[in-house]
Amino acid sequence: MNRCRRWGKRLFNIEPHELSQCLFCFAIFFLVLCAYYILRPIRDSLAITGGVKNIQWLFSATFVGILLIVPVYGWACSRLRRITLVTGVYSLVAASLLLFYSVMAIDPDNIWIARTFYVWVSVFNLVLISVFWSLMSDLFSREQAHRVFGFIAAGGSLGALCGPLISALLVSNIGFQQLLLLSAFGFVLVVILLFWLLSMVHTNPHVNEHEQPLAGNPFSGFTLVIKSPYLVMYAAFIVLISALSTFIYFQQAELVSLALPDTDSRTELFAWVDFSVNVLSVCSQIMVTGHCVSRFGVATVLTVLPLVFMAGFAVLALNPVLAAIIALSIVRRIGEYAFIRPCREMLFTSVNREVRYKAKNFIDTVVYRGGDAFSGWLYTACTSLGLLFSGTAWVGVGLAMICAVTGYQLGSKQQFSASDT
């Protein structure tokens, strides 16, 4: 055990007394994203089943779903103890998966069930991740976060690697409906490990003081954001990242729908893409992210990566083929998962719990999915005005440039000031 702790300090910059807690967090995030990534290829495949030209409606429906669930989540934050809140979210997801399995077994080709499943997964995936990182910000100080969040994020990437691999290897043999049961089992394990983790840290006075329900009303996340110039800037960055993702998603859907006609083959393709992304992401997070952020700072990371995405859109505009969009999707997602997401979470380690759980969740859900809906209709407007595939890619170049400028302004401040929060 002592040797493991010494290796943890040497390789991952984790102090010996932090290792057990970090391994638990690593395992929980592994299971969260493994269970989710079993579902993601199914979701993306079912979106195409409803027609590529209707995807913007799914994005809008997802935004409406977020608007409905955020007040409920805000109410729960104000009424429930932390352990009940966090475990309740993952328990609800597991139960919902069992319900979807039942209705899909009865009517597997129902287009409205497919659309409902897409919206449900798109709503809850943001809540799952936001709740997890809010908990991590409770458990670790700002100094610890700079050292260990990259390692913990690697657990998620490893899970995100295994999830699509499971889907890719099993879907042709058992069908996509059976994968819902595997995902539900993963979320049940998450709940069990969360109880174990929170009981383990219960004796820590710093952590234990954060156990009680939060003050405020269910809508205070919105008011906290609009009162803080820095949080508004953070929200703008999230919208721009969301817009880049949406443009890539729509262009990818167009080319995939032409190349692959059936649900299982598309599920297999998306699963292998997810697998490739997460192989590279987990290697980056374990060995590179923490050292990169410590050496170059958050501002550099949040500036350089959008510039990389800008170059990718330019390549796609000049060579609009399936291989190019797949490559850009992989590069964009590696950059976001391995670098942008950990940097974003580091900004929330020095704020009060109401900002951490409510304002952050509002941005991660309402603002993010609002950005999806807006950029989905923006993409539709571009195509309606006669812009071809290459033309919309050039619009992506412009969005990436604005994102780089916003990222620099956001990261240069390094942390929230007292006046901002």
Side-chain angles (χ1 to χ4, degrees):
M1 179 61 70
N2 290 334
R3 181 176 296 179
C4 290
R5 290 174 175 172
R6 288 195 298 270
W7 277 106
K9 171 65 175 176
R10 184 177 303 176
L11 289 178
F12 309 124
N13 205 18
I14 297 174
E15 297 294 339
H17 67 278
E18 300 167 337
L19 185 60
S20 296
Q21 186 172 326
C22 287
L23 288 175
F24 260 96
C25 296
F26 182 99
I28 291 169
F29 203 29
F30 168 86
L31 288 169
V32 168
L33 287 196
C34 181
Y36 164 65
Y37 269 92
I38 290 174
L39 303 175
R40 182 186 169 105
I42 302 171
R43 181 202 70 170
D44 292 342
S45 179
L46 293 177
I48 295 175
T49 299
V52 174
K53 295 185 181 298
N54 295 320
I55 290 180
Q56 72 271 17
W57 290 103
L58 295 179
F59 277 47
S60 297
T62 300
F63 180 55
V64 172
I66 284 290
L67 291 178
L68 294 176
I69 201 172
V70 163
V72 176
Y73 177 79
W75 175 89
C77 287
S78 301
R79 299 292 188 277
L80 302 178
R81 297 169 65 237
R82 181 181 60 194
I83 189 169
T84 306
L85 172 69
V86 176
T87 57
V89 167
Y90 295 107
S91 298
L92 179 62
V93 172
S96 300
L97 281 171
L98 295 178
L99 177 61
F100 273 110
Y101 172 79
S102 299
V103 297
M104 286 183 178
I106 296 171
D107 191 0
D109 298 321
N110 189 304
I111 193 171
W112 288 105
I113 294 176
R115 289 170 174 170
T116 303
F117 181 79
Y118 179 95
V119 172
W120 175 83
V121 173
S122 300
V123 168
F124 269 99
N125 81 309
L126 295 181
V127 177
L128 296 174
I129 297 172
S130 181
V131 168
F132 174 83
W133 283 112
S134 294
L135 177 62
M136 294 302 99
S137 297
D138 262 359
L139 300 183
F140 296 98
S141 68
R142 181 172 178 270
E143 184 277 329
Q144 288 176 307
H146 279 260
R147 291 186 292 102
V148 307
F149 272 17
F151 174 79
I152 294 172
S157 287
L158 188 60
L161 185 155
C162 293
L165 184 60
I166 291 171
S167 294
L169 294 177
L170 296 182
V171 66
S172 60
N173 295 320
I174 66 175
F176 71 90
Q177 295 96 335
Q178 306 300 323
L179 296 175
L180 303 183
L181 295 179
L182 289 177
S183 180
F185 178 69
F187 284 115
V188 170
L189 291 180
V190 167
V191 173
I192 294 171
L193 288 183
L194 279 170
F195 274 112
W196 202 342
L197 171 67
L198 292 176
S199 65
M200 181 176 68
V201 302
H202 187 71
T203 56
N204 186 330
H206 168 73
V207 175
N208 194 38
E209 69 182 6
H210 293 160
E211 176 59 32
Q212 299 305 313
L214 298 171
N217 63 71
F219 302 97
S220 57
F222 170 72
T223 57
L224 287 168
V225 171
I226 62 175
K227 289 179 181 178
S228 167
Y230 193 76
L231 288 175
V232 170
M233 186 190 305
Y234 179 85
F237 183 77
I238 296 301
V239 169
L240 289 165
I241 288 292
S242 174
L244 294 174
S245 302
T246 299
F247 267 59
I248 294 173
Y249 189 88
F250 273 70
Q251 291 181 320
Q252 178 178 265
E254 286 185 30
L255 296 180
V256 170
S257 66
L258 296 174
L260 300 172
D262 64 281
T263 300
D264 284 348
S265 62
R266 292 192 300 263
T267 297
E268 186 173 358
L269 171 66
F270 289 133
W272 283 118
V273 169
D274 289 345
F275 177 78
S276 301
V277 166
N278 293 303
V279 166
L280 298 174
S281 293
V282 72
C283 293
S284 298
Q285 288 168 327
I286 290 177
M287 304 300 296
V288 179
T289 301
H291 296 289
C292 184
V293 174
S294 297
R295 180 172 181 180
F296 299 107
V298 173
T300 300
V301 174
L302 296 182
T303 304
V304 171
L305 288 171
L307 294 177
V308 174
F309 304 156
M310 183 176 69
F313 270 110
V315 171
L316 182 63
L318 298 173
N319 189 26
V321 296
L322 181 59
I325 190 64
I326 294 296
L328 177 57
S329 177
I330 290 173
V331 169
R332 195 276 305 170
R333 289 167 59 191
I334 291 171
E336 185 171 353
Y337 299 162
F339 297 98
I340 290 179
R341 184 83 201 202
C343 287
R344 283 169 46 196
E345 303 305 335
M346 290 172 191
L347 299 172
F348 281 89
T349 54
S350 57
V351 302
N352 64 58
R353 293 187 68 227
E354 192 171 17
V355 171
R356 188 178 300 153
Y357 276 87
K358 293 186 177 181
K360 178 180 180 299
N361 183 262
F362 176 82
I363 295 173
D364 287 349
T365 55
V366 173
V367 173
Y368 192 95
R369 287 309 184 203
D372 278 349
F374 169 77
S375 50
W377 287 106
L378 175 63
Y379 186 90
T380 301
C382 290
T383 57
S384 299
L385 292 173
L387 288 181
L388 300 177
F389 194 95
S390 295
T392 56
W394 286 118
V395 175
V397 170
L399 291 172
M401 185 180 300
I402 298 172
C403 185
V405 174
T406 306
Y408 174 77
Q409 294 176 336
L410 179 69
S412 61
K413 203 169 183 180
Q414 292 294 316
Q415 61 179 343
F416 298 107
S417 67
S419 63
D420 286 328
T421 58

